[in-house]
């Protein structure tokens, strides 16, 4: 009884339980929105949605300068230093504001160009990029404020924000899809995250006085210099990563078909939902602990806490998902998406390897290991791209998920060797 009491009273159990509720809500919402997408836009529309998601990830990385992880690190380290905290808050606010306005202008003025780049010449959705230009300041501000809250160690608040944001997103997405079909689906992708700003602003105003925290006189270029390492990291993963995925999807479209690209996007959506459990835990709980770890022994403790407490549960969940894949496709999509069942095995294998490697990858951000991160990330993206091209030619659409598993297998091996001292000493 004492053993169970100790487990249930631990911070990890409380965070995991609350996170599980958040992920469950997200998955239910995802089930509903995926069904709506399947009915109203079909596999073809799903592929276009995937392209916009990849583009938006790149825009997010540039607009936020890739500072999210850096913000969490520096806020966590300077939470008790009021002056330094205000310097961080003010410097980031003015920097991100200026960059966001610049990017919004580029998106708005060259909307037709971006539409052709993302969707090709057969589709014209320039208004989507004009709307994105308008809402981008709210979108980036919400990301910035959530990173501040996470850095302050308010794990529960971050999860509450995600829950509320997901619920709001559900109603907005359903309305837009019902009203404007594919165009509505694309609009919902860019408008829903921006609405999260108002939720985030409400919560952070309870933690700090924003008016007192923002002061142009406290702008410090040293902070930007320190955070520039994170921009270089984001440049690789946040910009080049989505470009690689966009190139792979276009390869699938050109060699196999737009509908098949939609099947891969459907599989990716399912993967995104169950990976939320791991990703959220890593971001709100394990990453701050890696930041605070001072020795290899401390780091080893964080690594193995994840491997012993989280990864086994995740493996069981993946096995259950594989057994129920046919049922999931019927519930989530329509009969047209039945070929997606062929993509599950290698996608699940790849996602398990991805989860196992992600905890190691977060160490790059926690300890600002810029060069090592860039080298390993570029290597993994190159492996993903070329292995995808190779396997697509042999196994068609299934080749993409085989490449996914192969890439993360290699990535885990490389990181395991690189961090062997923190893992085994």
């Amino acid at each position: 009884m004492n053993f169970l009491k100790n487990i249930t009273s631990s911070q990890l159990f409380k965070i995991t339980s609350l996170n599980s509720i958040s992920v469950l809500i997200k998955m239910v919402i995802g089930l509903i929105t995926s069904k709506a997408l399947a009915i109203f836009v079909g596999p073809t529309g799903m592929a276009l949605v995937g392209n916009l998601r990849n583009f938006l990830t790149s825009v997010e990385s540039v607009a936020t300068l890739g500072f999210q992880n850096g913000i969490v690190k520096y806020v966590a380290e300077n939470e008790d230093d009021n002056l330094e905290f205000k310097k961080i808050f003010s410097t980031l606010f003015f920097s991100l504001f200026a960059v966001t306005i610049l990017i919004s202008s580029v998106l708005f003025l060259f909307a037709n160009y971006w539409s052709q780049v993302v969707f090709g010449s057969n589709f014209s959705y320039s208004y989507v990029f004009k709307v994105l230009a308008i809402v981008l300041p709210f979108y980036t501000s919400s990301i910035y404020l959530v990173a501040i809250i996470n850095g302050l160690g308010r794990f529960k608040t971050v999860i509450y924000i995600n829950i509320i944001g997901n619920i709001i997103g559900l109603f907005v997405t359903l309305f837009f899809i019902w009203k404007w079909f594919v165009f509505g689906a694309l609009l919902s992708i860019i408008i829903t995250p921006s609405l999260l700003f108002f939720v985030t602003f409400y919560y952070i105003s309870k933690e700090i006085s924003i008016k007192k925290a923002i002061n142009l006189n406290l702008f410090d270029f040293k902070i930007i210099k320190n955070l520039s390492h994170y921009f270089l990291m984001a440049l690789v993963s946040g910009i080049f990563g989505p470009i690689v995925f966009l190139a792979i999807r276009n390869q699938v479209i050109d060699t196999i078909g737009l509908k098949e690209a939609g099947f891969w996007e459907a599989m990716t959506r399912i993967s995104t939902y169950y990976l939320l459990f791991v990703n959220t835990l890593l971001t709100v709980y394990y990453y701050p602990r890696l930041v605070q770890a001072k020795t290899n022994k401390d780091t080893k403790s964080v690594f193995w806490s994840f491997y012993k407490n989280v990864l086994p549960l995740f493996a069981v969940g993946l096995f259950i998902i594989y057994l129920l894949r046919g049922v999931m496709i019927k519930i989530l999509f329509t009969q047209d998406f039945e070929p997606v069942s062929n993509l599950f095995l290698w996608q699940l294998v790849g996602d398990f390897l991805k989860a196992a490697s992600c905890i190691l990858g977060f160490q790059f951000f926690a300890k600002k290991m810029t060069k090592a991160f860039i080298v390993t990330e570029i290597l993994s993206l190159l492996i993903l791209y070329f292995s995808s091209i190779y396997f697509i030619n042999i196994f068609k659409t299934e080749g993409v998920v085989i490449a996914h598993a192969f890439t993360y297998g290699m990535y885990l091996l490389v990181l395991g060797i690189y961090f062997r001292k923190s893992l085994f000493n």
Side-chain angles (χ1 to χ4, degrees):
M1 291 297 292
N2 288 333
F3 174 72
L4 290 175
K5 185 177 180 180
N6 290 335
I7 293 177
T8 56
S9 62
S10 69
Q11 185 184 32
L12 176 59
F13 179 83
K14 292 177 181 178
I15 297 296
T16 303
S17 300
L18 183 59
N19 180 57
S20 297
I21 295 172
S22 174
V23 171
L24 181 61
I25 292 172
K26 175 73 174 179
M27 289 181 69
V28 171
I29 290 173
L31 183 153
I32 298 171
T33 55
S34 294
K35 192 72 175 182
L37 282 170
I39 293 172
F40 288 97
V41 306
T44 300
M46 196 83 77
L48 297 178
V49 166
N51 277 8
L52 182 59
R53 285 187 186 278
N54 290 145
F55 178 78
L56 189 58
T57 300
S58 294
V59 171
E60 175 190 314
S61 297
V62 177
T64 61
L65 298 175
F67 284 175
Q68 296 98 304
N69 289 315
I71 293 171
V72 175
K73 174 180 170 63
Y74 283 102
V75 170
E77 292 176 344
N78 297 281
E79 180 182 356
D80 299 324
D81 188 335
N82 189 47
L83 178 60
E84 192 63 26
F85 175 79
K86 287 182 178 180
K87 283 184 178 181
I88 294 170
F89 198 98
S90 298
T91 301
L92 293 171
F93 174 82
F94 289 111
S95 300
L96 296 180
F97 179 78
V99 172
T100 301
I101 294 302
L102 176 63
I103 294 173
S104 291
S105 301
V106 173
L107 287 171
F108 193 90
L109 293 174
F110 301 98
N112 289 329
Y113 169 77
W114 296 117
S115 176
Q116 188 167 353
V117 168
V118 176
F119 303 117
S121 56
N122 293 327
F123 302 93
S124 179
Y125 292 109
S126 58
Y127 282 108
V128 170
F129 297 93
K130 291 183 178 181
V131 174
L132 175 58
I134 295 170
V135 303
L136 187 62
F138 296 100
Y139 182 22
T140 54
S141 295
S142 68
I143 295 171
Y144 162 59
L145 294 178
V146 167
I148 293 287
I149 295 172
N150 197 11
L152 292 171
R154 308 300 189 264
F155 308 127
K156 291 184 179 179
T157 301
V158 174
I159 295 174
Y160 286 140
I161 290 171
N162 289 332
I163 291 173
I164 296 171
N166 290 333
I167 294 172
I168 293 173
L170 170 64
F171 292 106
V172 172
T173 301
L174 290 180
F175 175 76
F176 278 30
I177 292 174
W178 170 73
K179 193 74 175 177
W180 296 295
F181 299 95
V182 175
F183 180 64
L186 298 175
L187 277 182
S188 67
I189 293 172
I190 59 179
I191 290 179
T192 298
S194 64
L195 295 177
L196 196 61
F197 165 78
F198 301 100
V199 180
T200 310
F201 185 83
Y202 168 78
Y203 276 102
I204 200 168
S205 62
K206 290 184 174 183
E207 301 290 340
I208 60 175
S209 174
I210 295 180
K211 286 185 178 180
K212 293 181 179 180
I214 297 176
N215 188 335
L216 186 57
N217 295 325
L218 294 176
F219 189 94
D220 189 348
F221 280 104
K222 184 179 178 182
I223 294 173
I224 298 298
K225 183 179 179 181
N226 290 335
L227 287 170
S228 62
H229 297 273
Y230 294 96
F231 174 68
L232 292 175
M233 294 184 193
L235 189 67
V236 177
S237 62
I239 299 176
F240 295 151
I243 289 174
V244 167
F245 277 98
L246 190 60
I248 293 171
R249 187 177 288 103
N250 287 336
Q251 178 69 15
V252 174
I253 293 172
D254 293 339
T255 58
I256 309 174
L258 188 59
K259 181 179 290 187
E260 283 71 19
F263 295 150
W264 177 39
E265 175 60 22
M267 184 69 253
T268 302
R269 287 181 69 86
I270 296 172
S271 171
T272 300
Y273 298 141
Y274 58 69
L275 279 173
L276 278 171
F277 174 77
V278 173
N279 291 338
T280 309
L281 265 182
L282 285 170
T283 303
V284 305
Y285 182 78
Y286 282 101
Y287 176 61
R289 290 186 64 194
L290 286 173
V291 170
Q292 295 164 359
K294 303 299 181 183
T295 65
N296 277 342
K297 185 178 179 181
D298 295 335
T299 302
K300 179 180 178 180
S301 176
V302 178
F303 284 161
W304 286 103
S305 171
F306 177 82
Y307 288 137
K308 292 177 181 178
N309 297 314
V310 178
L311 203 58
L313 290 175
F314 185 60
V316 172
L318 292 179
F319 180 68
I320 294 172
I321 288 171
Y322 180 75
L323 295 178
L324 299 177
R325 63 191 184 283
V327 177
M328 290 183 66
I329 293 172
K330 290 180 180 178
I331 295 174
L332 287 169
F333 306 109
T334 62
Q335 195 68 29
D336 293 337
F337 286 83
E338 190 174 340
V340 176
S341 62
N342 298 324
L343 307 180
F344 268 79
L345 178 60
W346 288 106
Q347 181 71 41
L348 296 175
V349 171
D351 287 338
F352 177 80
L353 296 170
K354 181 178 182 179
S357 60
C358 274
I359 183 68
L360 301 176
F362 266 87
Q363 180 72 345
F364 289 130
F365 294 98
K367 304 307 178 189
K368 210 162 63 174
M369 304 165 72
T370 310
K371 291 181 181 179
F373 172 81
I374 290 175
V375 171
T376 55
E377 193 70 11
I378 289 177
L379 179 63
S380 67
L381 288 174
L382 287 174
I383 292 173
L384 177 63
Y385 177 75
F386 288 108
S387 63
S388 293
I389 301 302
Y390 176 76
F391 287 124
I392 286 171
N393 289 331
I394 299 174
F395 301 105
K396 303 301 180 183
T397 314
E398 192 176 356
V400 184
V401 289
I402 293 174
H404 169 68
F406 176 74
T407 300
Y408 276 104
M410 296 296 294
Y411 188 62
L412 178 60
L413 178 63
V414 171
L415 294 192
I417 295 172
Y418 190 84
F419 290 115
R420 62 190 180 280
K421 293 182 179 180
S422 297
L423 279 168
F424 304 112
N425 287 353

